[in-house]
Amino acid sequence: MDSLLKPALEERRQQQLYRQRQVIHSAQQPERMLGNQSVLSFCSNDYLGLAADPRVAEAMIEGTQRYGVGSGASHLTAGHTDAHHQLELELAAFTGRERALLFSSGYMANLGVMTALAGRRDAVFHDRLNHASLLDGALLSGARFRRYPHLDTGSLERMLQTSQSQRRLVVTDGVFSMDGDQADLVALSALCQSHQAWLVVDDAHGFGVLGAQGGGSAAVSGLAPEELPVLVGTLGKAFGTAGAFVAGSEALIETLIQFSRSYIYTTGLPPAVAEATRTSLALVQAEDWRRQHLQQLIQHFRQSCAAAGMCLLPSDTPIQPLMIGCAGKAIRISEQLLSQGLLVTAIRPPTVPAGSARLRVTLTATHTIGQVDRLVQGLKQVMESDNAAD
């Protein structure tokens, strides 16, 4: 077997696309231990800084004491506890939907939605930069799979006009995970209503960060539940815990319970995680200072980079990509930053299109202005040095 596997691995190394894991030895926070090195991290999706919040940790400890560690079974057998049930009720209220359904991960939620709602007689229309889980779910569904250019509603409209499929799903990220820009949900919803399509939004990177009380892209858009019928969110980013959910109508959630294989055939999320998430959900809504500070950091970082002659992709979210282009150069710059104690991930194909390797800087509410200044100084020094070497 190894003789068949090794050539593909070597090819990936030669293309400078080989992925490697970093072993962290500390809690999720800006200052972390990478092996024996202290680093300042700018590559976490813990946008509100709740992953290491003592109140969230205490809720998880109390949940473990009450429920134990694992749920022991799927939700449909003996794994659905009161902790899960209460969290679903609270997520439904938070999103303004009739019901919400917990999944073990965002990937499983998106697979479950796509495969339960679409089949061979249907069509799924995807933004070209959607997350891989949405793309994989559409492919697994067997539906006709079409991708429109990023944020190009004109192209999408032409596709919808010619579609004869029974069901039509328009699927998009709310905030795009590698570029940090946002979908125009109002325009997408209008197209869906005109062409009898369903709008599906994965707001993994919007919930907690955008909108009043962290309501996300849906709250910012002001769309009613019937205008945005399928809303997906993850809990491992701004909420600081783990898992995911889908929010929508009674009929939608019952359909997922009956037909979503990634929900039916897997062990439920640990109930202690659900209890921790109930606390983080309350903090997301109550502590608006986290979003205010985060926005201050974002604006400060963008202004500082512009002053230093570094051009970031357009983004008002915590995801701030610095385009490099060449995968090898992106790796080299990331390694040089690490030598200065700055942890910034180089993102390369196939995660992003060929020729668009970048440094994906992410900011969190637990960073300080001083730490952001340190990052800008490090970036400027490394970029100038690397450009001079070229």
Side-chain angles (χ1 to χ4, degrees):
M1 183 176 77
D2 287 0
S3 63
L4 297 176
L5 297 176
K6 287 181 178 178
L9 294 174
E10 183 57 32
E11 180 182 7
R12 180 149 285 195
R13 286 192 181 94
Q14 293 297 323
Q15 294 172 338
Q16 296 183 307
L17 302 179
Y18 201 83
R19 294 182 172 102
Q20 291 179 294
R21 299 179 298 178
Q22 305 273 18
V23 180
I24 303 294
H25 297 273
S26 58
Q28 187 65 247
Q29 54 195 11
E31 296 281 356
R32 310 194 72 187
M33 290 301 298
L34 178 62
N36 295 321
Q37 181 185 8
S38 176
V39 296
L40 179 56
S41 173
F42 289 94
C43 52
S44 170
N45 294 329
D46 179 31
Y47 299 128
L48 297 184
L50 291 173
D53 189 285
R55 294 164 293 182
V56 178
E58 183 61 31
M60 190 162 183
I61 291 170
E62 292 176 0
T64 303
Q65 292 172 340
R66 178 178 177 183
Y67 296 102
V69 176
S71 61
S74 72
H75 285 279
L76 293 178
T77 52
H80 191 68
T81 67
D82 182 57
H84 297 114
H85 192 67
Q86 292 303 316
L87 176 57
E88 288 181 344
L89 293 175
E90 290 161 9
L91 286 168
F94 173 62
T95 59
R97 267 63 182 171
E98 290 179 352
R99 287 184 64 183
L101 187 69
L102 287 174
F103 282 78
S104 296
S105 72
Y107 207 106
M108 294 178 72
N110 283 332
L111 292 186
V113 166
M114 293 291 99
T115 54
L117 298 185
R120 296 190 180 278
R121 293 182 293 176
D122 307 319
V124 180
F125 302 87
H126 269 282
D127 187 291
R128 187 163 290 277
L129 295 188
N130 277 351
H131 190 267
S133 59
L134 291 168
L135 303 179
D136 289 353
L139 291 171
L140 283 172
S141 74
R144 187 179 185 192
F145 180 69
R146 303 190 67 182
R147 300 173 76 179
Y148 58 91
H150 182 48
L151 303 180
D152 188 342
T153 54
S155 293
L156 171 61
E157 183 172 20
R158 289 189 290 273
M159 292 179 183
L160 288 169
Q161 286 171 343
T162 59
S163 175
Q164 300 298 317
S165 299
Q166 180 175 315
R167 290 180 180 175
R168 290 175 288 277
L169 278 66
V170 173
V171 183
T172 185
D173 286 3
V175 174
F176 291 87
S177 60
M178 293 298 119
D179 284 39
D181 53 354
Q182 301 170 53
D184 185 346
L185 299 187
V186 173
L188 291 174
S189 177
L191 280 179
C192 287
Q193 292 178 76
S194 297
H195 297 280
Q196 293 76 53
W198 299 341
L199 180 58
V200 179
V201 176
D202 177 2
D203 205 27
H205 298 271
F207 272 121
V209 174
L210 303 177
Q213 296 186 307
S217 299
V220 171
S221 71
L223 294 174
E226 59 272 16
E227 297 172 307
L228 200 173
V230 187
L231 186 57
V232 183
T234 53
L235 303 171
K237 297 179 173 63
F239 292 94
T241 56
F245 66 94
V246 180
S249 67
E250 175 81 19
L252 170 68
I253 300 307
E254 281 301 315
T255 297
L256 295 179
I257 291 172
Q258 301 303 321
F259 298 104
S260 175
R261 294 170 68 85
S262 61
Y263 177 81
I264 298 167
Y265 299 110
T266 192
T267 299
L269 193 73
V273 173
E275 284 291 357
T277 306
R278 295 181 65 194
T279 294
S280 69
L281 175 59
L283 296 174
V284 163
Q285 296 172 84
E287 298 188 345
D288 192 53
W289 67 264
R290 295 178 185 271
R291 281 176 291 279
Q292 293 175 0
H293 179 60
L294 188 53
Q295 283 302 316
Q296 292 172 354
L297 293 177
I298 292 167
Q299 295 307 313
H300 181 76
F301 178 66
R302 294 191 65 82
Q303 292 166 4
S304 299
C305 283
M310 294 181 291
C311 186
L312 300 167
L313 292 182
S315 170
D316 296 323
T317 71
I319 302 165
Q320 295 292 318
L322 179 60
M323 190 65 72
I324 304 298
C326 172
K329 184 175 181 178
I331 295 171
R332 187 168 64 244
I333 292 173
S334 178
E335 291 173 344
Q336 291 170 352
L337 288 169
L338 185 58
S339 71
Q340 296 186 19
L342 296 168
L343 183 60
V344 183
T345 305
I347 304 295
R348 298 156 286 158
T351 303
V352 292
S356 68
R358 78 280 307 267
L359 299 180
R360 181 183 183 268
V361 174
T362 53
L363 303 171
T364 75
T366 45
H367 282 115
T368 66
I369 291 288
Q371 290 171 333
V372 171
D373 287 339
R374 180 181 162 191
L375 171 63
V376 173
Q377 292 166 5
L379 281 169
K380 182 180 179 182
Q381 178 183 338
V382 169
M383 293 289 287
E384 289 176 348
S385 175
D386 196 85
N387 290 335
D390 287 345

PDB file of all heavy atoms in Angstrom, residues 241-268:
ATOM      1  N   THR A 241     -16.540  26.750  21.943  1.00  0.00           N
ATOM      2  CA  THR A 241     -16.685  25.374  22.434  1.00  0.00           C
ATOM      3  C   THR A 241     -16.497  24.389  21.278  1.00  0.00           C
ATOM      4  O   THR A 241     -15.419  24.299  20.722  1.00  0.00           O
ATOM      5  CB  THR A 241     -18.052  25.193  23.119  1.00  0.00           C
ATOM      6  OG1 THR A 241     -19.110  25.546  22.209  1.00  0.00           O
ATOM      7  CG2 THR A 241     -18.160  26.073  24.357  1.00  0.00           C
ATOM      8  N   ALA A 242     -17.527  23.642  20.912  1.00  0.00           N
ATOM      9  CA  ALA A 242     -17.415  22.672  19.820  1.00  0.00           C
ATOM     10  C   ALA A 242     -18.811  22.297  19.354  1.00  0.00           C
ATOM     11  O   ALA A 242     -19.795  22.444  20.087  1.00  0.00           O
ATOM     12  CB  ALA A 242     -16.655  21.423  20.271  1.00  0.00           C
ATOM     13  N   GLY A 243     -18.890  21.780  18.125  1.00  0.00           N
ATOM     14  CA  GLY A 243     -20.169  21.354  17.585  1.00  0.00           C
ATOM     15  C   GLY A 243     -20.736  22.384  16.624  1.00  0.00           C
ATOM     16  O   GLY A 243     -20.063  23.341  16.225  1.00  0.00           O
ATOM     17  N   ALA A 244     -21.989  22.176  16.228  1.00  0.00           N
ATOM     18  CA  ALA A 244     -22.651  23.056  15.267  1.00  0.00           C
ATOM     19  C   ALA A 244     -24.150  22.933  15.423  1.00  0.00           C
ATOM     20  O   ALA A 244     -24.648  22.087  16.175  1.00  0.00           O
ATOM     21  CB  ALA A 244     -22.229  22.696  13.841  1.00  0.00           C
ATOM     22  N   PHE A 245     -24.878  23.783  14.683  1.00  0.00           N
ATOM     23  CA  PHE A 245     -26.331  23.706  14.729  1.00  0.00           C
ATOM     24  C   PHE A 245     -26.911  24.167  13.406  1.00  0.00           C
ATOM     25  O   PHE A 245     -26.283  24.890  12.632  1.00  0.00           O
ATOM     26  CB  PHE A 245     -26.895  24.547  15.876  1.00  0.00           C
ATOM     27  CG  PHE A 245     -26.682  26.037  15.712  1.00  0.00           C
ATOM     28  CD1 PHE A 245     -27.656  26.841  15.130  1.00  0.00           C
ATOM     29  CD2 PHE A 245     -25.509  26.639  16.148  1.00  0.00           C
ATOM     30  CE1 PHE A 245     -27.466  28.199  14.977  1.00  0.00           C
ATOM     31  CE2 PHE A 245     -25.309  28.004  15.999  1.00  0.00           C
ATOM     32  CZ  PHE A 245     -26.291  28.787  15.416  1.00  0.00           C
ATOM     33  N   VAL A 246     -28.139  23.734  13.166  1.00  0.00           N
ATOM     34  CA  VAL A 246     -28.945  24.241  12.056  1.00  0.00           C
ATOM     35  C   VAL A 246     -30.205  24.824  12.664  1.00  0.00           C
ATOM     36  O   VAL A 246     -30.839  24.190  13.521  1.00  0.00           O
ATOM     37  CB  VAL A 246     -29.297  23.125  11.057  1.00  0.00           C
ATOM     38  CG1 VAL A 246     -30.147  23.686   9.913  1.00  0.00           C
ATOM     39  CG2 VAL A 246     -28.041  22.468  10.515  1.00  0.00           C
ATOM     40  N   ALA A 247     -30.575  26.023  12.239  1.00  0.00           N
ATOM     41  CA  ALA A 247     -31.780  26.677  12.753  1.00  0.00           C
ATOM     42  C   ALA A 247     -32.747  26.940  11.611  1.00  0.00           C
ATOM     43  O   ALA A 247     -32.338  27.316  10.508  1.00  0.00           O
ATOM     44  CB  ALA A 247     -31.418  27.984  13.447  1.00  0.00           C
ATOM     45  N   GLY A 248     -34.035  26.736  11.871  1.00  0.00           N
ATOM     46  CA  GLY A 248     -35.045  26.952  10.838  1.00  0.00           C
ATOM     47  C   GLY A 248     -36.432  26.591  11.336  1.00  0.00           C
ATOM     48  O   GLY A 248     -36.702  26.587  12.548  1.00  0.00           O
ATOM     49  N   SER A 249     -37.290  26.247  10.422  1.00  0.00           N
ATOM     50  CA  SER A 249     -38.680  25.946  10.752  1.00  0.00           C
ATOM     51  C   SER A 249     -38.821  24.574  11.395  1.00  0.00           C
ATOM     52  O   SER A 249     -37.907  23.734  11.348  1.00  0.00           O
ATOM     53  CB  SER A 249     -39.532  25.997   9.484  1.00  0.00           C
ATOM     54  OG  SER A 249     -39.165  24.934   8.612  1.00  0.00           O
ATOM     55  N   GLU A 250     -39.986  24.347  11.954  1.00  0.00           N
ATOM     56  CA  GLU A 250     -40.322  23.027  12.510  1.00  0.00           C
ATOM     57  C   GLU A 250     -40.170  21.952  11.452  1.00  0.00           C
ATOM     58  O   GLU A 250     -39.590  20.881  11.698  1.00  0.00           O
ATOM     59  CB  GLU A 250     -41.766  23.061  13.028  1.00  0.00           C
ATOM     60  CG  GLU A 250     -42.306  21.725  13.534  1.00  0.00           C
ATOM     61  CD  GLU A 250     -41.856  21.405  14.948  1.00  0.00           C
ATOM     62  OE1 GLU A 250     -41.449  22.329  15.668  1.00  0.00           O
ATOM     63  OE2 GLU A 250     -41.933  20.223  15.317  1.00  0.00           O
ATOM     64  N   ALA A 251     -40.683  22.210  10.242  1.00  0.00           N
ATOM     65  CA  ALA A 251     -40.622  21.206   9.172  1.00  0.00           C
ATOM     66  C   ALA A 251     -39.182  20.930   8.760  1.00  0.00           C
ATOM     67  O   ALA A 251     -38.816  19.771   8.480  1.00  0.00           O
ATOM     68  CB  ALA A 251     -41.432  21.675   7.966  1.00  0.00           C
ATOM     69  N   LEU A 252     -38.344  21.964   8.704  1.00  0.00           N
ATOM     70  CA  LEU A 252     -36.937  21.755   8.337  1.00  0.00           C
ATOM     71  C   LEU A 252     -36.243  20.864   9.351  1.00  0.00           C
ATOM     72  O   LEU A 252     -35.564  19.889   8.984  1.00  0.00           O
ATOM     73  CB  LEU A 252     -36.211  23.096   8.252  1.00  0.00           C
ATOM     74  CG  LEU A 252     -34.682  22.990   8.107  1.00  0.00           C
ATOM     75  CD1 LEU A 252     -34.291  22.409   6.766  1.00  0.00           C
ATOM     76  CD2 LEU A 252     -34.008  24.345   8.339  1.00  0.00           C
ATOM     77  N   ILE A 253     -36.380  21.189  10.636  1.00  0.00           N
ATOM     78  CA  ILE A 253     -35.668  20.419  11.665  1.00  0.00           C
ATOM     79  C   ILE A 253     -36.166  18.978  11.709  1.00  0.00           C
ATOM     80  O   ILE A 253     -35.370  18.032  11.834  1.00  0.00           O
ATOM     81  CB  ILE A 253     -35.807  21.100  13.038  1.00  0.00           C
ATOM     82  CG1 ILE A 253     -35.221  22.518  12.988  1.00  0.00           C
ATOM     83  CG2 ILE A 253     -35.127  20.262  14.116  1.00  0.00           C
ATOM     84  CD1 ILE A 253     -33.797  22.599  12.472  1.00  0.00           C
ATOM     85  N   GLU A 254     -37.470  18.764  11.577  1.00  0.00           N
ATOM     86  CA  GLU A 254     -37.978  17.394  11.552  1.00  0.00           C
ATOM     87  C   GLU A 254     -37.470  16.632  10.325  1.00  0.00           C
ATOM     88  O   GLU A 254     -37.189  15.429  10.400  1.00  0.00           O
ATOM     89  CB  GLU A 254     -39.507  17.409  11.577  1.00  0.00           C
ATOM     90  CG  GLU A 254     -40.093  17.643  12.950  1.00  0.00           C
ATOM     91  CD  GLU A 254     -39.657  16.581  13.965  1.00  0.00           C
ATOM     92  OE1 GLU A 254     -39.682  15.377  13.629  1.00  0.00           O
ATOM     93  OE2 GLU A 254     -39.266  16.963  15.085  1.00  0.00           O
ATOM     94  N   THR A 255     -37.321  17.324   9.198  1.00  0.00           N
ATOM     95  CA  THR A 255     -36.765  16.687   8.001  1.00  0.00           C
ATOM     96  C   THR A 255     -35.326  16.243   8.252  1.00  0.00           C
ATOM     97  O   THR A 255     -34.933  15.130   7.872  1.00  0.00           O
ATOM     98  CB  THR A 255     -36.815  17.663   6.807  1.00  0.00           C
ATOM     99  OG1 THR A 255     -38.182  17.964   6.513  1.00  0.00           O
ATOM    100  CG2 THR A 255     -36.154  17.054   5.568  1.00  0.00           C
ATOM    101  N   LEU A 256     -34.542  17.084   8.899  1.00  0.00           N
ATOM    102  CA  LEU A 256     -33.153  16.718   9.200  1.00  0.00           C
ATOM    103  C   LEU A 256     -33.100  15.546  10.174  1.00  0.00           C
ATOM    104  O   LEU A 256     -32.264  14.639  10.032  1.00  0.00           O
ATOM    105  CB  LEU A 256     -32.411  17.925   9.771  1.00  0.00           C
ATOM    106  CG  LEU A 256     -32.232  19.117   8.828  1.00  0.00           C
ATOM    107  CD1 LEU A 256     -31.509  20.257   9.547  1.00  0.00           C
ATOM    108  CD2 LEU A 256     -31.482  18.728   7.571  1.00  0.00           C
ATOM    109  N   ILE A 257     -33.954  15.550  11.176  1.00  0.00           N
ATOM    110  CA  ILE A 257     -33.968  14.438  12.133  1.00  0.00           C
ATOM    111  C   ILE A 257     -34.296  13.121  11.441  1.00  0.00           C
ATOM    112  O   ILE A 257     -33.735  12.065  11.765  1.00  0.00           O
ATOM    113  CB  ILE A 257     -34.977  14.729  13.266  1.00  0.00           C
ATOM    114  CG1 ILE A 257     -34.464  15.880  14.154  1.00  0.00           C
ATOM    115  CG2 ILE A 257     -35.225  13.479  14.118  1.00  0.00           C
ATOM    116  CD1 ILE A 257     -35.470  16.357  15.182  1.00  0.00           C
ATOM    117  N   GLN A 258     -35.185  13.174  10.458  1.00  0.00           N
ATOM    118  CA  GLN A 258     -35.612  11.951   9.782  1.00  0.00           C
ATOM    119  C   GLN A 258     -34.662  11.497   8.667  1.00  0.00           C
ATOM    120  O   GLN A 258     -34.520  10.300   8.426  1.00  0.00           O
ATOM    121  CB  GLN A 258     -37.016  12.152   9.182  1.00  0.00           C
ATOM    122  CG  GLN A 258     -38.082  12.517  10.183  1.00  0.00           C
ATOM    123  CD  GLN A 258     -38.221  11.508  11.315  1.00  0.00           C
ATOM    124  OE1 GLN A 258     -38.130  10.292  11.092  1.00  0.00           O
ATOM    125  NE2 GLN A 258     -38.431  12.002  12.526  1.00  0.00           N
ATOM    126  N   PHE A 259     -33.996  12.449   7.992  1.00  0.00           N
ATOM    127  CA  PHE A 259     -33.270  12.105   6.770  1.00  0.00           C
ATOM    128  C   PHE A 259     -31.779  12.459   6.758  1.00  0.00           C
ATOM    129  O   PHE A 259     -31.080  12.072   5.823  1.00  0.00           O
ATOM    130  CB  PHE A 259     -33.939  12.784   5.565  1.00  0.00           C
ATOM    131  CG  PHE A 259     -35.359  12.345   5.342  1.00  0.00           C
ATOM    132  CD1 PHE A 259     -36.425  13.172   5.701  1.00  0.00           C
ATOM    133  CD2 PHE A 259     -35.647  11.105   4.784  1.00  0.00           C
ATOM    134  CE1 PHE A 259     -37.743  12.780   5.499  1.00  0.00           C
ATOM    135  CE2 PHE A 259     -36.955  10.700   4.580  1.00  0.00           C
ATOM    136  CZ  PHE A 259     -38.006  11.531   4.939  1.00  0.00           C
ATOM    137  N   SER A 260     -31.294  13.172   7.755  1.00  0.00           N
ATOM    138  CA  SER A 260     -29.886  13.579   7.760  1.00  0.00           C
ATOM    139  C   SER A 260     -29.017  12.481   8.366  1.00  0.00           C
ATOM    140  O   SER A 260     -28.994  12.276   9.579  1.00  0.00           O
ATOM    141  CB  SER A 260     -29.719  14.880   8.553  1.00  0.00           C
ATOM    142  OG  SER A 260     -28.364  15.220   8.651  1.00  0.00           O
ATOM    143  N   ARG A 261     -28.275  11.789   7.512  1.00  0.00           N
ATOM    144  CA  ARG A 261     -27.489  10.640   7.979  1.00  0.00           C
ATOM    145  C   ARG A 261     -26.368  11.052   8.932  1.00  0.00           C
ATOM    146  O   ARG A 261     -26.019  10.298   9.843  1.00  0.00           O
ATOM    147  CB  ARG A 261     -26.920   9.899   6.759  1.00  0.00           C
ATOM    148  CG  ARG A 261     -28.004   9.258   5.897  1.00  0.00           C
ATOM    149  CD  ARG A 261     -27.434   8.752   4.581  1.00  0.00           C
ATOM    150  NE  ARG A 261     -26.527   7.620   4.757  1.00  0.00           N
ATOM    151  CZ  ARG A 261     -26.913   6.349   4.838  1.00  0.00           C
ATOM    152  NH1 ARG A 261     -28.204   6.036   4.770  1.00  0.00           N
ATOM    153  NH2 ARG A 261     -26.044   5.380   4.979  1.00  0.00           N
ATOM    154  N   SER A 262     -25.805  12.247   8.735  1.00  0.00           N
ATOM    155  CA  SER A 262     -24.724  12.679   9.623  1.00  0.00           C
ATOM    156  C   SER A 262     -25.251  13.101  10.997  1.00  0.00           C
ATOM    157  O   SER A 262     -24.456  13.309  11.922  1.00  0.00           O
ATOM    158  CB  SER A 262     -23.938  13.834   8.991  1.00  0.00           C
ATOM    159  OG  SER A 262     -24.771  14.954   8.769  1.00  0.00           O
ATOM    160  N   TYR A 263     -26.559  13.207  11.136  1.00  0.00           N
ATOM    161  CA  TYR A 263     -27.171  13.407  12.449  1.00  0.00           C
ATOM    162  C   TYR A 263     -27.622  12.081  13.044  1.00  0.00           C
ATOM    163  O   TYR A 263     -27.369  11.788  14.214  1.00  0.00           O
ATOM    164  CB  TYR A 263     -28.378  14.351  12.344  1.00  0.00           C
ATOM    165  CG  TYR A 263     -29.100  14.538  13.665  1.00  0.00           C
ATOM    166  CD1 TYR A 263     -28.611  15.422  14.608  1.00  0.00           C
ATOM    167  CD2 TYR A 263     -30.258  13.819  13.964  1.00  0.00           C
ATOM    168  CE1 TYR A 263     -29.252  15.597  15.832  1.00  0.00           C
ATOM    169  CE2 TYR A 263     -30.904  13.988  15.178  1.00  0.00           C
ATOM    170  CZ  TYR A 263     -30.400  14.866  16.113  1.00  0.00           C
ATOM    171  OH  TYR A 263     -31.025  15.017  17.316  1.00  0.00           O
ATOM    172  N   ILE A 264     -28.258  11.264  12.232  1.00  0.00           N
ATOM    173  CA  ILE A 264     -28.866  10.024  12.719  1.00  0.00           C
ATOM    174  C   ILE A 264     -27.823   9.024  13.193  1.00  0.00           C
ATOM    175  O   ILE A 264     -27.985   8.390  14.248  1.00  0.00           O
ATOM    176  CB  ILE A 264     -29.730   9.380  11.614  1.00  0.00           C
ATOM    177  CG1 ILE A 264     -30.875  10.318  11.226  1.00  0.00           C
ATOM    178  CG2 ILE A 264     -30.274   8.029  12.050  1.00  0.00           C
ATOM    179  CD1 ILE A 264     -31.591   9.908   9.943  1.00  0.00           C
ATOM    180  N   TYR A 265     -26.731   8.895  12.442  1.00  0.00           N
ATOM    181  CA  TYR A 265     -25.806   7.779  12.648  1.00  0.00           C
ATOM    182  C   TYR A 265     -24.508   8.191  13.313  1.00  0.00           C
ATOM    183  O   TYR A 265     -23.430   7.722  12.945  1.00  0.00           O
ATOM    184  CB  TYR A 265     -25.531   7.087  11.315  1.00  0.00           C
ATOM    185  CG  TYR A 265     -26.781   6.504  10.687  1.00  0.00           C
ATOM    186  CD1 TYR A 265     -27.328   7.060   9.540  1.00  0.00           C
ATOM    187  CD2 TYR A 265     -27.429   5.414  11.268  1.00  0.00           C
ATOM    188  CE1 TYR A 265     -28.481   6.537   8.970  1.00  0.00           C
ATOM    189  CE2 TYR A 265     -28.585   4.892  10.708  1.00  0.00           C
ATOM    190  CZ  TYR A 265     -29.111   5.460   9.565  1.00  0.00           C
ATOM    191  OH  TYR A 265     -30.255   4.937   9.001  1.00  0.00           O
ATOM    192  N   THR A 266     -24.590   9.071  14.301  1.00  0.00           N
ATOM    193  CA  THR A 266     -23.376   9.433  15.030  1.00  0.00           C
ATOM    194  C   THR A 266     -23.703   9.700  16.494  1.00  0.00           C
ATOM    195  O   THR A 266     -24.826  10.072  16.834  1.00  0.00           O
ATOM    196  CB  THR A 266     -22.715  10.676  14.408  1.00  0.00           C
ATOM    197  OG1 THR A 266     -21.398  10.835  14.946  1.00  0.00           O
ATOM    198  CG2 THR A 266     -23.517  11.939  14.677  1.00  0.00           C
ATOM    199  N   THR A 267     -22.722   9.490  17.347  1.00  0.00           N
ATOM    200  CA  THR A 267     -22.885   9.742  18.776  1.00  0.00           C
ATOM    201  C   THR A 267     -23.080  11.235  19.025  1.00  0.00           C
ATOM    202  O   THR A 267     -22.451  12.074  18.388  1.00  0.00           O
ATOM    203  CB  THR A 267     -21.640   9.248  19.539  1.00  0.00           C
ATOM    204  OG1 THR A 267     -21.502   7.842  19.321  1.00  0.00           O
ATOM    205  CG2 THR A 267     -21.754   9.516  21.030  1.00  0.00           C
ATOM    206  N   GLY A 268     -23.971  11.554  19.942  1.00  0.00           N
ATOM    207  CA  GLY A 268     -24.278  12.946  20.238  1.00  0.00           C
ATOM    208  C   GLY A 268     -23.098  13.692  20.841  1.00  0.00           C
ATOM    209  O   GLY A 268     -22.190  13.112  21.442  1.00  0.00           O
TER     210      GLY A 268
END
